[in-house]
């Protein structure tokens, strides 16, 4: 059995890694310190916004996978989705990352 990194440490490391890659990070919702679920909102210069969540795989890994993208015609629906997730799970962390080439950046993260 693998030990899971506490949520607050994972968030701190994601912020530091984002800044190291020339991006900006902001905590939109602060969840349970040790066991909170982590959602990442990625974008590049405020565009191509999407939510990524850890999804357990059959091989035991837990990569971040895109679960929702922002509709540029209805951006409010995206943030309503985040609010619904927050109201369903008060322990959830939501971290916004504005970084060059978000897909490549997410691929760097441990699984």
């Amino acid at each position: 059995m693998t030990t899971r990194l506490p949520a607050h440490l994972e968030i701190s490391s994601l912020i530091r890694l984002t800044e190291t890659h020339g991006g900006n990070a902001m905590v939109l919702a602060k969840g349970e310190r040790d066991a909170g679920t982590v959602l990442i909102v990625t974008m590049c210069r405020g565009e191509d916004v999407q939510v990524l969540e850890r999804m357990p795989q059959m091989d035991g890994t837990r990569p971040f996978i895109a679960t929702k993208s922002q509709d540029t015609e209805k951006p409010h629906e995206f943030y309503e989705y985040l609010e619904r997730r927050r109201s369903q799970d008060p322990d959830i962390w939501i971290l916004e990352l504005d970084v060059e080439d978000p897909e490549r950046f997410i691929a760097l993260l441990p699984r």
Side-chain angles (χ1 to χ4, degrees), residues 18 21-24 41-50 52 70 72 79 96-106:
T18 301
H21 282 85
N24 296 304
V41 176
T42 62
M43 63 187 70
C44 181
R45 295 184 193 100
E47 297 182 358
D48 300 323
V49 182
Q50 61 182 350
L52 295 108
Q70 183 182 51
T72 55
Y79 291 97
E96 182 180 272
L97 307 178
D98 193 334
V99 65
E100 192 71 33
D101 197 359
E103 292 82 17
R104 186 176 129 318
F105 177 80
I106 293 300

Side-chain angles (χ1 to χ4, degrees), residues 1-15:
M1 180 174 168
T2 60
T3 305
R4 181 177 165 196
L5 187 65
H8 73 282
L9 292 178
E10 184 174 15
I11 294 294
S12 294
S13 66
L14 287 167
I15 291 170

